Amino acid sequence: MNIKILSRSSKLYSTDAIVQAAIKRKHNIQVIDPLKCDIVIEKRKPEIYYQGKKLDHVDAVIPRIGASITFYGTAVVRQFEMMNVFTTVESQALVRSRDKLRSLQILSKAGLGLPKTVFTNYGRDVSGVIEHVGGAPLIIKVLEGTQGLGVVLAETNKAAESVIEAFNGLQARVIVQEYIKEAKGADIRVFVVDGHVVGAMKRQGKEGEFRSNLHRGGTASVIELSDEEENAAIKAARAMRLGIAGVDLLQSERGPLILEVNSSPGLEGIEKATGKDIAKSIIRYIERSI
């Protein structure tokens, strides 16, 4: 097959892992920077040019679209869809996954467990917002934040009021969530491909850090999911209509709670933690789908 990876760099761990997995399975694969693609829109004749050359005879694309290039990257994915090319992540699913508020609403409708969340349009009743999630400690997240950026743990109601009012003053939209104390600064990343869990790891934040992101000093270890956790991850990926998804969840006294569903999950942490060839699972997903 002729496969294209939409990625800013071939040197990224995830991109290179997928390239090597495709080569091992005898496929032709090329990394193309979506920002260097030109989209030609014409009646019944959608085309894409990359570095002056028309891209044709493409069987599948694997979007690895970073949050900072969502708009143009999604347009490129959508153009491939118009050319009847299979994509491991559909353009609309990618857009939905980047909207934290919309994602939570979709997951809520699907009946999945979530930390209690409040969103207001710069509302002045800050104390009421805090009360809705059970008071401090609580989590405040900027809607446009990624990889742990724009996430604040407020230990007291007074601190929470100050942070929320500051964000409101900057007109930065935030959501306020209850703090799940029993999670103890850890979460679980579940990697779902084509409706199946292909790997899972537990991420533990470093001492004094409530965020478990690996690039912030967190550690990762393999974990065996409970049936409830596995089912929740699969259901979350399905609700978001993502063929490939990194589902982040918390272990709580009331069962698994979904934090986020990532449409371009990294492979490095989970492959090293689990010893599993996740990239191979992605290539096999394409093989089954075409």
Side-chain angles (χ1 to χ4, degrees):
M1 287 188 294
N2 185 14
I3 303 171
K4 308 294 185 187
I5 302 181
L6 302 179
S7 174
R8 296 301 316 279
S9 173
S10 60
K11 296 179 181 179
L12 296 171
Y13 179 97
S14 300
T15 302
D16 182 63
I18 295 170
V19 168
Q20 298 307 317
I23 291 173
K24 286 179 183 178
R25 297 188 68 81
K26 312 298 183 184
H27 299 299
N28 295 317
I29 189 161
Q30 178 187 13
V31 179
I32 62 175
D33 183 344
L35 295 187
K36 295 180 180 178
C37 290
D38 294 325
I39 296 171
V40 179
I41 303 171
E42 188 180 356
K43 182 179 180 180
R44 296 180 181 175
K45 193 182 177 183
E47 294 177 333
I48 297 177
Y49 284 80
Y50 182 64
Q51 296 180 333
K53 183 179 179 181
K54 187 170 102 171
L55 296 178
D56 52 14
H57 306 297
V58 179
D59 296 304
V61 294
I62 304 172
R64 300 288 309 172
I65 306 297
S68 63
I69 63 165
T70 297
F71 177 80
Y72 198 82
T74 301
V76 174
V77 175
R78 190 161 51 244
Q79 189 79 350
F80 274 114
E81 291 172 340
M82 292 170 62
M83 295 162 59
N84 296 317
V85 175
F86 173 76
T87 174
T88 57
V89 177
E90 295 178 358
S91 58
Q92 286 303 306
L94 198 159
V95 170
R96 281 193 297 268
S97 72
R98 292 288 157 79
D99 185 332
K100 288 182 182 177
L101 182 61
R102 185 178 181 187
S103 295
L104 290 171
Q105 290 173 320
I106 291 170
L107 296 169
S108 173
K109 186 177 180 181
L112 286 152
L114 303 166
K116 190 169 184 179
T117 303
V118 177
F119 173 71
T120 67
N121 189 39
Y122 312 123
R124 293 185 178 181
D125 184 16
V126 175
S127 60
V129 170
I130 293 171
E131 186 178 335
H132 278 310
V133 297
L138 53 80
I139 303 294
I140 302 165
K141 295 181 180 179
V142 178
L143 282 177
E144 290 78 21
T146 60
Q147 297 184 325
L149 295 173
V151 181
V152 178
L153 169 62
E155 300 274 6
T156 66
N157 285 1
K158 187 174 181 179
E161 287 182 16
S162 297
V163 173
I164 295 170
E165 287 171 354
F167 278 129
N168 284 349
L170 294 170
Q171 293 197 325
R173 295 188 183 279
V174 298
I175 55 176
V176 179
Q177 289 186 323
E178 66 173 314
Y179 177 64
I180 308 301
K181 184 178 180 180
E182 61 267 29
K184 298 178 180 178
D187 71 4
I188 296 173
R189 161 61 62 88
V190 186
F191 211 106
V192 180
V193 177
D194 193 23
H196 301 279
V197 172
V198 296
M201 64 177 173
K202 186 171 186 177
R203 303 181 297 192
Q204 179 68 55
K206 65 181 180 180
E207 189 174 353
E209 174 61 75
F210 71 96
R211 293 168 294 187
S212 60
N213 306 72
L214 299 184
H215 71 285
R216 294 188 173 278
T219 57
S221 59
V222 65
I223 184 173
E224 185 174 344
L225 300 176
S226 68
D227 289 344
E228 188 179 13
E229 290 164 348
E230 183 170 343
N231 290 336
I234 292 171
K235 189 175 180 180
R238 186 184 302 124
M240 297 298 296
R241 299 186 63 181
L242 288 168
I244 297 173
V247 181
D248 296 339
L249 57 86
L250 295 176
Q251 294 175 308
S252 80
E253 294 174 350
R254 60 182 190 266
L257 304 178
I258 306 297
L259 280 177
E260 187 175 3
V261 183
N262 194 315
S263 56
S264 295
L267 274 62
E268 184 173 9
I270 198 160
E271 285 198 340
K272 290 181 177 179
T274 64
K276 293 185 177 181
D277 190 346
I278 305 295
K280 180 180 177 181
S281 297
I282 292 172
I283 299 302
R284 293 189 67 181
Y285 167 40
I286 294 173
E287 292 171 346
R288 292 193 300 269
S289 302
I290 297 178

